[in-house]
């Protein structure tokens, strides 16, 4: 049983590592960003509301995020053995909301894994990031390219660049992260569950560090 949240700036590899850890532990992986991007594909009023924030790199208001999260974490039996969350929480208020929600069920987070990296590395990674428009698998044109250009190895979906991975939006997202992060970090640090990992290595190196930190060998 393990409940984990991933923290860190955009482009640091939260999505990739969260997927690896979830596979290793055989528990579900949820990304609020992925959930929102899926909702954006239809033409509901929620989708129009979300697009204003997601496409421009602003944070979605806490109450909307929270409703989405509640639905995700408490509607499936698959969650009984824990889960890995990436992209949530983004600020201290969200961390408190999640803790209250879990406490009502006598549950708690085991670790908050903070992946860190230098700004320049983040900007570089984000500009060469491509994602599958069908299954969401993440690629990097330099470090982890697909076998066939523009095509997902897993489902043959078309690879695209996220609207918010354009350089102007990237810098704004890094700025928003930096503004919100220190209270969030202190929140988990004071509970003694913050695991700090250097996210600048290769995906494999970073994954090994995380496994060590979680005592997974
Ligand atoms: P991500 O894929 O985690 O980079 O998220 C993409 C976008 O989705 C963010 O820039 C926000 O607009 C929105 N988003 C995802 N998670 C959250 C969250 N926990 N709180 C607010 N907005 C979020």
């Amino acid at each position: 049983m393990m409940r984990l949240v991933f923290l860190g700036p955009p482009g640091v590899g939260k999505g990739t590592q969260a997927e690896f850890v979830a596979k290793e532990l055989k528990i579900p992986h949820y990304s609020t960003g992925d959930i929102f991007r899926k909702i954006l594909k239809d033409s509901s009023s929620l989708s129009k509301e979300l697009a204003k924030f997601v496409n421009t790199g602003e944070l979605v208001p806490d109450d909307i995020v929270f409703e989405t999260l509640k639905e995700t974490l408490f509607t499936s039996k698959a969650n009984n053995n824990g889960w890995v969350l990436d992209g949530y929480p983004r600020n201290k208020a969200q961390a408190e909301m999640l803790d209250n929600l879990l406490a009502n069920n006598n549950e708690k987070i085991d670790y908050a894994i903070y992946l860190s990296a230098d700004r320049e590395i983040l900007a570089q990674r984000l500009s060469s990031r491509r994602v599958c428009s069908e299954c969401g698998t993440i690629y990097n044109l330099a470090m982890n390219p697909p076998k066939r250009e523009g095509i997902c190895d897993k489902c043959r979906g078309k690879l695209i660049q996220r609207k918010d991975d354009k350089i102007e939006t990237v810098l704004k997202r890094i700025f928003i992260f930096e503004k919100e992060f220190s209270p969030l970090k202190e929140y988990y640090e004071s509970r003694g569950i913050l695991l700090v990992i250097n996210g600048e290595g290769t995906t494999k190196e970073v994954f090994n560090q995380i496994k060590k930190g979680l005592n997974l060998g």
Side-chain angles (χ1 to χ4, degrees):
M1 159 67 70
M2 192 86 94
R3 292 187 194 88
L4 304 171
V5 296
F6 272 83
L7 313 175
V12 76
K14 298 186 295 293
T16 302
Q17 296 297 336
E19 186 69 40
F20 284 176
V21 172
K23 228 181 217 165
E24 177 87 12
L25 293 170
K26 301 188 175 60
I27 53 179
H29 160 218
Y30 300 113
S31 147
T32 42
D34 282 351
I35 294 170
F36 291 144
R37 279 184 290 276
K38 216 171 259 166
I39 297 174
L40 288 194
K41 285 185 178 175
D42 46 61
S43 54
S44 59
S45 57
L46 175 62
S47 155
K48 278 193 199 113
E49 177 68 14
L50 285 175
K52 286 191 279 187
F53 303 103
V54 176
N55 289 340
T56 60
E58 304 273 348
L59 290 186
V60 173
D62 290 346
D63 52 340
I64 303 181
V65 186
F66 191 59
E67 283 310 309
T68 310
L69 188 75
K70 229 165 48 180
E71 212 177 288
T72 306
L73 295 186
F74 293 98
T75 49
S76 162
K77 279 212 174 98
N79 294 329
N80 289 351
N81 289 325
W83 32 254
V84 180
L85 200 52
D86 101 68
Y88 189 102
R90 288 291 229 273
N91 56 34
K92 189 177 163 199
Q94 291 188 1
E96 287 170 340
M97 281 187 194
L98 176 59
D99 274 352
N100 290 337
L101 187 68
L102 293 173
N104 289 340
N105 264 9
N106 288 322
E107 294 174 358
K108 62 175 179 48
I109 288 170
D110 296 288
Y111 290 102
I113 302 168
Y114 164 40
L115 301 182
S116 70
D118 211 68
R119 266 170 174 229
E120 270 163 40
I121 291 188
L122 300 173
Q124 243 170 36
R125 283 193 188 167
L126 288 167
S127 61
S128 51
R129 171 159 79 180
R130 297 293 181 272
V131 295
C132 175
S133 56
E134 297 297 325
C135 73
T137 298
I138 304 163
Y139 296 87
N140 181 291
L141 297 183
M143 282 159 53
N144 172 32
K147 291 200 180 78
R148 278 180 58 200
E149 196 185 322
I151 310 268
C152 178
D153 294 348
K154 286 192 188 156
C155 76
R156 304 190 159 266
K158 190 175 161 218
L159 301 187
I160 53 162
Q161 182 169 36
R162 278 170 48 171
K163 281 205 176 91
D164 58 348
D165 279 348
K166 285 181 301 188
I167 189 68
E168 319 84 78
T169 320
V170 160
L171 297 179
K172 180 158 111 189
R173 285 161 60 212
I174 294 175
F175 174 77
I176 292 175
F177 167 78
E178 287 173 354
K179 197 169 111 225
E180 302 286 351
F181 186 59
S182 81
L184 187 59
K185 184 175 172 220
E186 276 159 27
Y187 182 81
Y188 288 116
E189 218 161 25
S190 68
R191 280 168 172 63
I193 58 169
L194 186 77
L195 207 62
V196 181
I197 304 281
N198 180 350
E200 293 187 356
T202 63
T203 38
K204 206 169 165 200
E205 283 162 2
V206 176
F207 183 48
N208 285 336
Q209 290 300 316
I210 296 174
K211 280 202 290 191
K212 238 192 231 162
L214 297 176
N215 294 318
L216 298 175

